[in-house]
Amino acid sequence: MPGRVSSVEETLTASVPKIFDQVQNSTANHQKNIVALHKLHLDAAGFTEPIHNGRSIKLTGERMFEEKFKGILCRAAAVKKGTSQGDRIVKFVGAYTKYINERAAEVKKEDDDDDDDETTASRFVEKVLAFLLIGFEAKDKVARYRCVHFLAEMVAHLGEISEKLYTELRTTLFERVHDKETFVRVQAVIALSKLCGSEDQSDVEDGEPTALEVLLETLSCDPAADVRRAALLNIPLSPETLDAVLTRTRDTDTIMRKLVYSAILVQHCFVSDSSAMGLVHPRVLTIAQRELIIRNGLGDREPAVRQAAALLISKWVDVARGDIKNEESKSAKDDVLALLSLFDLTESTVAEDALLSVLDRRRDISDHLEFKDAYWANLTPERAFFARVFVDHCIVIKDAEKLDASLPVVTALAYHIQAAYNAYQEDLEVAEQERVIRGEPTEEEEEARIDKEFVIGEMLKVAVNLDYADEIGRRKMFQLVRDMISQEALPESLVARCLDVLRILSPNERDLIRVVVEVVHELRDVSDEEEILKEPADDGETNFGETPMPTRMAPKGPKPSEDMSPEEQARMDTIDLRCLSLCIGMLERVNGTFEENSTLEGILGELIIPAVKRKELALREKGLICLGLCCLIARRMALNSFQLFLGQVQTAPEVLKIRVLQIVFDILMVHENDFLSNVGGASERIVEFFLHVLEREESDKVQALLCIGLAKLVLAGMICDDKVLQSLVAAYLAPDTIDNQEVRQCLAYFFPVYCYSSTVNQRRMQRLFIGLFEKLAPETRNVDETQEMVSPAQIAAMFVDWTDPQKAIEVQDQPTDETIHIDLASDIARALFDNKMIKEDKKVLYQVLGRLYLPDKVDDDKIRTLKLLLHNLNSRRPTRDTAAKNALAKFDAAISKRYAEQLESFNEEDYRQLEYLKDLFEFLDDIIPLDDGEEIDIPRTRARKRRSESIATDTTDSIAPDESIASAASSSHPQGKGRGKQTKRRRVSGSDDSDDDLSDDHVTPAPTRTLPKRTASVKKPQVVHVIEDDDDEEEDGEEEATPPPASQHGRRPRPASRARGDIQPASVGNNTLDSIMDSEEDEDDEDEVANDILASEE
């Protein structure tokens, strides 16, 4: 027997290493060596030893083979990642595991053995798995990687394993998914994705995540793109995982976004046999999912992703008709129409983007498209949309030949539009009759009505691009469109389309305005219809059927509101809304001045001004929009009406406030010189008003609009006030705006563009850095536990990046200022002398010094000033923190080395004689050296939000909503964003100005803290001013009484009673306009408003 044991062991020792030596060199011999290794395995398994007097046997041969195999695995586990020999061994082990399990299953099937007895293959797999699981906990990252890699190759072919081993395997893989090494996590994700298919939901304990949930979390949250990529490519595609996969179309990694289209959506359109529709077939996906895929793919910033999305859409065209294809009647046009039927054409532009992509990429489709007369006679939403987009595409690529072949004759299209509109009106009448009987229309009827509106709108869009050289066709189209806008039944969505056609048909703007004003007067004439209707005259021209629109006589004007019944008043309001919509569309298409179009004066006084004074929100909103559009083309009206719009900002509801702010910003952009010039201080007061509103506004949408408007004005150079930049930085970093993604996204784009576009802007940000850092850094330690805010180190890093002169764009006739970071270093050094700054913030500033850019050429005075500040900082304010000390020493050494020649003859005594450096030396001489206990280390705590001073303002008295808006801007320092009277406000803490006014004998209690005992000197305890929390006072409903802030220019803040005209530009007389809230007491004031606006145009 010992001889037999020796023989088997010698055979295994000689043969197994030889096999692995061959497989590590090439994969071509793997199959041959798998068979040879399996023969050795079976021969070894045949050698057993009886034990316990023959009652059982010992699997001696199997144990020998397993030990030899594990020895090979140990050697392979030490091979680093990327070595081809190690990867081939891993593949061989996986293939061998698959082979022995398949052979064992065949043998078991031949023997008809249904017992759960162990086999040689199952025992081998369990032993190897148990051995590999030990390596999962290895300290060496290479060993962990290879063990997980082996398992990832084996896990799909494990066969039957014990429940205990399965649970242990699953648990260890969950741990490796969170391994600190990226390549280990990749293999763990691959292994876990193969294992989750066999997971039984009933075996998962309560509160324990499933393997699929762990993979979905990794797909969304893992910081490494390689790990997310592995999860994307290996996670099983199912209805539960599809949404998570589609969200990766917005992944930060370009390759990841591309793989979603090329490896997932394209490859899984059909199931593996290419017959049944797959999970991501366009007909299986929902409308929302299809739009998400197209929008994110074609809107991606990377060309590679856009190309992958275009390939997907091209494939969708071929498969869109699904199983309903008829090869005999199949055409490319039908395929495109089938694809368009899968989208909601009325709600978004996604379908248009997809169709344009098809027309660009599929020349076999776009080159053979024709739209003959029969096509236009039977239009569906898809057919009308297809034709309109193709016409627009031909115009963009300037293909006149295709355009002429696609466009219909003017008279024919006018006939089709009229027929479609008449049918639409008939359907409305039938629906109105049925509504009386059955109630509300069904969903199918509503969809049919919307489809008909859409078809008419698409034909009107095509009509804009027609050639109107045919005078008969032009007259027919003109009369048709004019009659359409004269009808109350015309849908709101078609008003703008009709006005676009009318603008093309009108010889000039004056005629367009005249036509619209005539239509408005006709609509508002509510006299007896029977008296004013007359039969249309026969002019001898051919008409396309019966035109349902009658011709009206000269209007007589509406009745006074006092003489109207409630029903008549409601109908008149509906007509006024339609007239206002017409005026809005007309004014949006007018570029001339108000004075050039005197026809507008009548409609201003009869329609727009009365609408502005109405209580109804819809009428007042459209009236204000009309007035704002008039102000854009009428300078004097803008000057007289500006105060009116500002009054609405404070008193109006959110929807109206958004509209009014848009109007205000548009007026400022158009009439910049009248409102934002420095003459009379109008610009300063307007800025203060905006900052005041931003400080107190609660609506996220209004905050976003304010930030966007201010950012545009600052970026355009119309506003250069540092307080605006301070408030925008505060809004960007404040914890209150963390959920307002519109604000964050706008400002995240604004600050880099603003800073990199000009060195002047970078210089402005450099000047603001220290003041902002001193106010923002303490706020990061005082946020609520439920809030988040960036750290002081991140704040400093952002400013360093924004002020980096290497990133500034070269502007013509503007020299690049490369010394910004040198001046920033001087500012930081001066700030570090302040012994009130805590150690954590100082440490951040010390570390910032090492990130600053040092240019090749620097002015001698600047570099010597910086060197002098660093020298005095090191001698008079030495830091005890090792990291800060090393950062300062490293930066000082870099300065000394880089500018050695300029600093070689530097002498402080000679430097003191320079007159313009007198302030610098006075600053340094005033610094009193302290002992080694000067630094204050305030513990980092989380507390409730405290009311404190705004970054851009000191304090502002509360203002009643019905007061003039100008009173809100009377203070010279506007407040930042706030939350109202009884809500917590976003503020950035700072030392209040009122603290500086405290008398000398004022005693502030010092915080309780134990200082280390000093033998060399005894110091007075550091006094820390504590900002009291006054939330309890707010809960009592009492308004906080705050003293007015001291003006920076020595001016006293104006009292509220005198500030009503403060925002009025200097070029206008003192016109006082109250907010328009239509009450009995305000009738006289409203009349005065109307008179002022109308008088400006006389």
Side-chain angles (χ1 to χ4, degrees):
M1 188 63 69
R4 176 73 186 276
V5 172
S6 176
S7 175
V8 172
E9 186 174 5
E10 288 176 358
T11 302
L12 293 176
T13 302
S15 301
V16 172
K18 187 179 297 184
I19 290 175
F20 276 92
D21 184 58
Q22 293 178 10
V23 300
Q24 72 176 344
N25 294 321
S26 174
T27 57
N29 57 30
H30 278 195
Q31 188 61 35
K32 177 191 73 173
N33 284 297
I34 286 173
V35 175
L37 185 62
H38 185 246
K39 186 176 184 303
L40 287 174
H41 194 176
L42 292 179
D43 292 343
F47 175 64
T48 59
E49 293 181 342
I51 58 175
H52 300 130
N53 297 325
R55 291 193 299 272
S56 59
I57 60 174
K58 182 178 181 181
L59 304 176
T60 306
E62 285 189 19
R63 296 294 174 265
M64 290 181 183
F65 182 84
E66 290 165 0
E67 292 301 321
K68 295 296 181 183
F69 197 90
K70 289 191 289 187
I72 298 295
L73 293 182
C74 282
R75 292 182 177 89
V79 180
K80 293 183 178 180
K81 177 182 180 297
T83 305
S84 59
Q85 288 83 355
D87 296 338
R88 294 191 189 104
I89 290 176
V90 171
K91 289 184 179 180
F92 178 78
V93 171
Y96 181 70
T97 304
K98 178 182 180 182
Y99 181 80
I100 63 173
N101 278 293
E102 289 176 349
R103 295 291 300 167
E106 292 175 1
V107 172
K108 189 174 183 179
K109 185 177 181 180
E110 291 174 359
D111 297 342
D112 293 331
D113 187 5
D114 295 334
D115 297 336
D116 294 335
D117 295 341
E118 294 182 346
T119 62
T120 300
S122 64
R123 288 191 294 269
F124 170 77
V125 168
E126 290 206 4
K127 290 291 184 182
V128 172
L129 284 182
F131 176 74
L132 291 176
L133 291 179
I134 299 174
F136 277 35
E137 304 295 334
K139 292 184 178 180
D140 183 42
K141 60 183 180 182
V142 176
R144 291 200 310 276
Y145 165 72
R146 284 300 177 187
C147 289
V148 179
H149 197 182
F150 276 122
L151 179 61
E153 287 290 331
M154 296 172 58
V155 71
H157 318 292
L158 292 180
E160 298 180 357
I161 59 176
S162 65
E163 186 69 25
K164 179 181 178 182
L165 182 60
Y166 175 82
T167 304
E168 185 179 357
L169 174 62
R170 182 172 173 274
T171 303
T172 52
L173 281 177
F174 281 3
E175 295 175 355
R176 289 309 100 207
V177 166
H178 298 95
D179 194 280
K180 64 180 180 179
E181 299 297 335
T182 300
F183 48 83
V184 177
R185 297 202 302 275
V186 168
Q187 297 302 324
V189 165
I190 295 174
L192 192 60
S193 63
K194 297 176 180 178
L195 191 67
C196 68
S198 60
E199 186 178 52
D200 189 356
Q201 191 70 26
S202 61
D203 296 337
V204 180
E205 299 180 0
D206 293 339
E208 183 182 9
T210 63
L212 191 59
E213 290 173 348
V214 173
L215 285 175
L216 291 177
E217 181 184 2
T218 303
L219 177 64
S220 302
C221 305
D222 196 281
D226 291 339
V227 180
R228 299 196 305 274
R229 207 173 299 148
L232 175 70
L233 296 176
N234 292 278
I235 195 170
L237 199 60
S238 65
E240 292 78 17
T241 61
L242 180 58
D243 287 339
V245 170
L246 294 183
T247 58
R248 293 302 92 205
T249 57
R250 298 292 292 171
D251 197 276
T252 56
D253 181 61
T254 302
I255 299 177
M256 184 78 171
R257 300 195 301 273
K258 180 182 176 181
L259 284 175
V260 175
Y261 293 93
S262 59
I264 304 297
L265 297 176
V266 171
Q267 300 298 328
H268 293 83
C269 265
F270 295 96
V271 293
S272 56
D273 59 358
S274 299
S275 59
M277 290 186 293
L279 188 62
V280 293
H281 190 281
R283 285 193 168 273
V284 178
L285 295 170
T286 64
I287 291 180
Q289 289 171 338
R290 288 192 289 265
E291 290 187 350
L292 176 72
I293 292 170
I294 302 301
R295 184 187 305 110
N296 292 346
L298 297 181
D300 199 277
R301 61 179 176 269
E302 295 295 334
V305 181
R306 294 198 298 271
Q307 183 178 8
L311 285 173
L312 174 66
I313 299 171
S314 180
K315 184 177 180 63
W316 277 8
V317 171
D318 297 330
V319 304
R321 292 204 289 174
D323 298 332
I324 61 174
K325 286 187 176 182
N326 184 358
E327 296 296 333
E328 295 180 358
S329 61
K330 178 183 177 182
S331 66
K333 187 183 298 184
D334 294 331
D335 288 339
V336 176
L337 292 174
L339 176 64
L340 292 177
S341 66
L342 301 178
F343 293 95
D344 188 353
L345 304 179
T346 61
E347 294 296 330
S348 65
T349 61
V350 173
E352 183 173 351
D353 296 336
L355 181 54
L356 289 174
S357 174
V358 172
L359 295 175
D360 282 333
R361 192 168 189 85
R362 296 288 298 270
R363 306 296 299 181
D364 58 318
I365 295 177
S366 60
D367 289 344
H368 299 88
L369 285 178
E370 292 182 358
F371 300 100
K372 299 182 179 179
D373 294 339
Y375 183 91
W376 296 97
N378 185 23
L379 288 179
T380 63
E382 291 79 18
R383 293 167 68 87
F385 180 81
F386 190 11
R388 195 268 302 171
V389 174
F390 182 73
V391 168
D392 292 344
H393 174 69
C394 293
I395 293 174
V396 171
I397 64 175
K398 299 179 180 180
D399 192 337
E401 183 178 354
K402 286 183 182 179
L403 184 62
D404 293 339
S406 302
L407 288 174
V409 179
V410 176
T411 52
L413 184 61
Y415 171 78
H416 293 313
I417 295 174
Q418 182 173 357
Y421 185 68
N422 289 343
Y424 173 79
Q425 279 193 316
E426 292 174 1
D427 290 345
L428 283 184
E429 294 174 358
V430 173
E432 187 66 28
Q433 295 173 0
E434 292 183 353
R435 186 178 305 172
V436 176
I437 302 173
R438 296 185 307 171
E440 293 297 324
T442 61
E443 184 176 350
E444 292 77 10
E445 294 174 345
E446 188 67 20
E447 289 181 357
R449 182 187 64 80
I450 295 175
D451 288 346
K452 291 183 178 180
E453 286 184 19
F454 182 77
V455 170
I456 297 172
E458 293 302 293
M459 286 194 288
L460 289 171
K461 289 181 181 178
V462 173
V464 173
N465 299 312
L466 293 178
D467 182 6
Y468 289 99
D470 178 15
E471 182 63 21
I472 296 177
R474 191 195 71 81
R475 288 182 180 181
K476 289 296 182 184
M477 185 67 74
F478 181 85
Q479 185 63 35
L480 173 64
V481 174
R482 191 217 182 271
D483 291 341
M484 287 176 65
I485 64 175
S486 301
Q487 295 212 343
E488 301 175 29
L490 182 69
E492 190 78 19
S493 59
L494 298 182
V495 172
R497 304 283 75 82
C498 290
L499 289 175
D500 286 335
V501 178
L502 204 58
R503 181 178 60 175
I504 298 297
L505 296 174
S506 300
N508 51 55
E509 289 183 355
R510 181 171 298 180
D511 282 357
L512 172 64
I513 295 172
R514 178 184 55 78
V515 172
V516 174
V517 170
E518 288 178 0
V519 171
V520 168
H521 284 305
E522 291 177 6
L523 286 171
R524 300 188 79 234
D525 181 14
V526 292
S527 302
D528 188 6
E529 296 288 338
E530 296 182 357
E531 297 179 1
I532 63 173
L533 288 178
K534 68 173 184 178
E535 292 296 328
D538 185 4
D539 56 1
E541 296 182 0
T542 302
N543 294 324
F544 290 97
E546 295 181 0
T547 303
M549 289 72 71
T551 304
R552 294 179 177 268
M553 297 175 62
K556 299 179 181 180
K559 294 192 296 185
S561 58
E562 298 82 5
D563 300 337
M564 294 183 185
S565 64
E567 294 77 10
E568 290 177 337
Q569 183 65 49
R571 182 169 180 269
M572 194 64 201
D573 289 345
T574 304
I575 294 174
D576 284 347
L577 285 174
R578 166 49 52 83
C579 293
L580 288 170
S581 297
L582 286 172
C583 291
I584 291 173
M586 174 194 64
L587 291 169
E588 287 175 344
R589 291 158 178 80
V590 170
N591 297 317
T593 63
F594 195 90
E595 292 77 6
E596 294 174 353
N597 301 285
S598 58
T599 315
L600 292 173
E601 295 182 6
I603 206 169
L604 176 67
E606 296 177 6
L607 177 66
I608 297 176
I609 297 300
V612 171
K613 299 194 292 183
R614 293 293 294 272
K615 291 180 180 179
E616 292 79 10
L617 184 61
L619 283 168
R620 187 147 56 103
E621 178 183 358
K622 290 197 173 184
L624 286 170
I625 294 174
C626 285
L627 183 59
L629 291 171
C630 289
C631 290
L632 296 182
I633 59 175
R635 172 181 169 276
R636 292 179 57 192
M637 187 185 299
L639 296 174
N640 286 329
S641 305
F642 193 72
Q643 189 76 23
L644 167 68
F645 292 121
L646 295 185
Q648 293 294 313
V649 171
Q650 268 196 329
T651 59
E654 178 183 349
V655 177
L656 191 57
K657 187 180 296 185
I658 291 174
R659 289 291 190 185
V660 173
L661 281 173
Q662 291 172 343
I663 294 169
V664 169
F665 283 120
D666 286 343
I667 291 175
L668 292 178
M669 295 288 286
V670 173
H671 304 290
E672 172 194 0
N673 296 330
D674 295 305
F675 292 98
L676 297 178
S677 62
N678 294 325
V679 180
S683 174
E684 181 181 351
R685 290 191 292 273
I686 291 174
V687 167
E688 289 174 356
F689 169 76
F690 282 137
L691 298 184
H692 168 79
V693 176
L694 180 62
E695 176 76 16
R696 297 183 177 274
E697 184 54 53
E698 299 179 9
S699 169
D700 287 347
K701 293 183 179 179
V702 177
Q703 291 174 11
L705 182 57
L706 281 167
C707 289
I708 292 172
L710 289 173
K712 286 182 178 179
L713 293 175
V714 172
L715 191 59
M718 298 180 181
I719 291 180
C720 302
D721 197 327
D722 290 348
K723 291 179 290 186
V724 177
L725 279 176
Q726 291 173 335
S727 293
L728 291 178
V729 172
Y732 182 46
L733 301 176
D736 289 343
T737 61
I738 193 169
D739 295 326
N740 195 343
Q741 294 301 319
E742 192 172 359
V743 168
R744 291 294 178 102
Q745 186 176 11
C746 163
L747 296 179
Y749 174 81
F750 162 71
F751 284 115
V753 172
Y754 174 74
C755 294
Y756 302 155
S757 61
S758 171
T759 55
V760 176
N761 297 341
Q762 284 188 322
R763 177 66 69 180
R764 184 176 292 117
M765 295 298 288
Q766 171 254 316
R767 293 198 310 266
L768 298 177
F769 168 61
I770 294 300
L772 284 168
F773 182 82
E774 291 176 346
K775 293 182 181 293
L776 288 169
E779 194 70 14
T780 61
R781 294 180 287 273
N782 298 327
V783 296
D784 289 348
E785 294 180 357
T786 58
Q787 295 179 320
E788 296 180 3
M789 187 175 178
V790 295
S791 64
Q794 291 173 307
I795 295 173
M798 283 191 293
F799 273 89
V800 171
D801 181 69
W802 292 339
T803 57
D804 189 351
Q806 301 176 95
K807 296 184 178 181
I809 300 174
E810 294 184 3
V811 181
Q812 188 176 3
D813 299 330
Q814 187 180 91
T816 303
D817 188 355
E818 294 189 345
T819 63
I820 294 177
H821 274 186
I822 296 295
D823 293 334
L824 184 60
S826 299
D827 294 341
I828 293 174
R830 290 174 182 268
L832 290 172
F833 282 104
D834 186 4
N835 60 350
K836 295 181 181 180
M837 185 179 294
I838 67 171
K839 184 174 68 175
E840 290 183 357
D841 295 345
K842 284 189 175 183
K843 183 177 179 180
V844 170
L845 293 180
Y846 276 115
Q847 293 174 342
V848 164
L849 292 173
R851 303 179 184 178
L852 301 180
Y853 167 69
L854 302 179
D856 295 332
K857 297 181 179 180
V858 182
D859 183 70
D860 290 350
D861 290 339
K862 287 189 176 183
I863 195 61
R864 290 175 180 178
T865 299
L866 177 58
K867 180 65 176 178
L868 187 61
L869 288 169
L870 295 177
H871 172 72
N872 282 272
L873 180 63
N874 203 17
S875 60
R876 304 191 185 195
R877 289 289 188 271
T879 178
R880 292 178 298 168
D881 185 83
T882 304
K885 186 184 299 183
N886 293 340
L888 178 61
K890 186 177 180 180
F891 181 72
D892 194 6
I895 291 291
S896 301
K897 180 179 180 180
R898 192 174 189 84
Y899 308 107
E901 295 182 1
Q902 294 172 272
L903 297 173
E904 183 177 3
S905 60
F906 173 60
N907 186 296
E908 182 177 344
E909 295 302 325
D910 295 339
Y911 213 47
R912 283 181 175 271
Q913 306 302 321
L914 299 177
E915 183 66 25
Y916 61 88
L917 294 177
K918 181 179 178 181
D919 294 339
L920 171 63
F921 285 101
E922 289 180 354
F923 168 77
L924 294 175
D925 294 340
D926 289 340
I927 297 173
I928 302 175
L930 302 177
D931 59 11
D932 57 353
E934 87 286 349
E935 290 185 304
I936 302 174
D937 189 3
I938 299 178
R940 187 186 185 105
T941 60
R942 288 189 177 272
R944 293 187 305 164
K945 282 197 294 187
R946 303 179 300 179
R947 295 189 56 183
S948 57
E949 180 187 348
S950 165
I951 188 168
T953 67
D954 294 333
T955 54
T956 304
D957 296 336
S958 60
I959 299 174
D962 57 346
E963 291 182 349
S964 173
I965 307 306
S967 61
S970 58
S971 172
S972 61
H973 297 281
Q975 287 189 332
K977 171 185 171 293
R979 289 292 180 185
K981 183 177 180 180
Q982 292 189 355
T983 56
K984 294 188 177 182
R985 304 174 182 172
R986 171 184 55 76
R987 308 224 181 164
V988 183
S989 300
S991 59
D992 293 337
D993 289 347
S994 57
D995 293 343
D996 299 333
D997 300 330
L998 294 177
S999 58
D1000 296 335
D1001 57 350
H1002 177 78
V1003 179
T1004 303
T1008 303
R1009 57 192 294 272
T1010 304
L1011 295 176
K1013 294 182 179 180
R1014 307 293 183 188
T1015 57
S1017 64
V1018 178
K1019 299 192 307 175
K1020 295 181 180 180
Q1022 178 70 30
V1023 177
V1024 179
H1025 295 286
V1026 179
I1027 301 175
E1028 296 294 342
D1029 191 344
D1030 58 355
D1031 286 343
D1032 294 335
E1033 296 179 8
E1034 285 191 347
E1035 293 173 1
D1036 293 337
E1038 296 178 0
E1039 194 69 19
E1040 180 186 9
T1042 309
S1047 172
Q1048 294 180 349
H1049 305 289
R1051 299 181 305 176
R1052 291 189 177 183
R1054 302 179 181 177
S1057 61
R1058 298 181 53 191
R1060 298 182 64 85
D1062 281 353
I1063 301 182
Q1064 194 71 11
S1067 57
V1068 187
N1070 189 13
N1071 295 321
T1072 303
L1073 302 180
D1074 295 329
S1075 341
I1076 300 178
M1077 302 299 293
D1078 194 14
S1079 62
E1080 295 295 337
E1081 294 82 359
D1082 294 337
E1083 290 294 335
D1084 295 337
D1085 293 337
E1086 292 170 356
D1087 293 338
E1088 182 180 352
V1089 171
N1091 294 334
D1092 287 342
I1093 296 175
L1094 293 173
S1096 65
E1097 303 308 317
E1098 294 179 355

